[in-house]
């Protein structure tokens, strides 16, 4: 990720810190504060940062297919996270934005963002060993 405003990075850090502490209310509160300050576009940017955290640095550009066994049987939020992270890995902001809009339209965005934060934390913990 390049050229990300410091405020967005700070918000993403706050989300991750709250998620690491298991404080889902604080995760939601941070996203709510971002929406109040920067609108849905701001929340999207924070979510994109969380996807970047999951994918990591040094991923070569190109088309990626991520393997998520049983994803079609998973809940809406888990399917959304898998597809959102895949969009990030493929540098496909249009798909990421479409997924974000669909989650809003379906009334599922809060659950999707909580699952994204939890998935980012699980990824960080896995990397740490």
């Amino acid at each position: 990720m390049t050229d990300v405003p410091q405020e967005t990075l700070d918000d993403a850090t706050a989300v991750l810190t709250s998620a690491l502490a298991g404080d889902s209310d604080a995760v939601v509160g941070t996203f709510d504060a971002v929406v109040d300050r920067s609108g849905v576009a701001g929340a999207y940017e924070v979510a994109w940062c969380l996807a970047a955290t999951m994918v990591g640095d040094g991923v070569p550009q190109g088309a990626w297919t991520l393997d998520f066994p049983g994803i079609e049987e998973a809940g809406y939020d888990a399917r959304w996270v898998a597809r959102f992270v895949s969009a990030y890995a493929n540098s496909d902001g249009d798909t990421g934005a479409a997924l974000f809009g669909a989650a809003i339209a379906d009334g599922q965005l809060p659950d999707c963002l909580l699952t994204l934060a939890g998935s980012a934390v699980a990824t960080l913990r896995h990397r740490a060993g």
Side-chain angles (χ1 to χ4, degrees), residues 3 9 14 18 26 31 34-35 37-38 43 45 51 53 57 61 69 71 85 95 97 105-106 111 114 118-119 125 127:
D3 299 328
L9 295 174
S18 297
F31 274 112
V34 169
V35 170
R37 184 181 64 242
S38 305
E45 292 301 324
T53 298
D57 296 329
Q61 294 290 330
I71 193 65
V85 172
T95 296
D106 293 341
D111 289 340
L114 277 173
S119 296
R125 286 184 174 142
R127 282 188 194 138

Side-chain angles (χ1 to χ4, degrees), residues 25-120:
D25 289 339
V27 170
V28 171
T30 300
F31 274 112
D32 286 346
V34 169
V35 170
D36 289 346
R37 184 181 64 242
S38 305
V40 174
Y44 172 83
E45 292 301 324
V46 172
W48 205 241
C49 284
L50 296 178
T53 298
M54 292 178 69
V55 171
D57 296 329
V59 176
Q61 294 290 330
W64 288 90
T65 302
L66 302 180
D67 186 22
F68 295 97
I71 193 65
E72 292 309 318
E73 291 79 38
Y76 185 105
D77 56 334
R79 289 190 318 270
W80 184 91
V81 168
R83 291 175 179 136
F84 191 77
V85 172
S86 293
Y88 178 84
N90 285 298
S91 300
D92 188 354
D94 290 341
T95 296
L99 288 164
F100 213 80
I104 291 169
D106 293 341
Q108 298 291 321
L109 187 61
D111 289 340
C112 292
L113 294 176
L114 277 173
T115 301
L116 178 62
S119 296

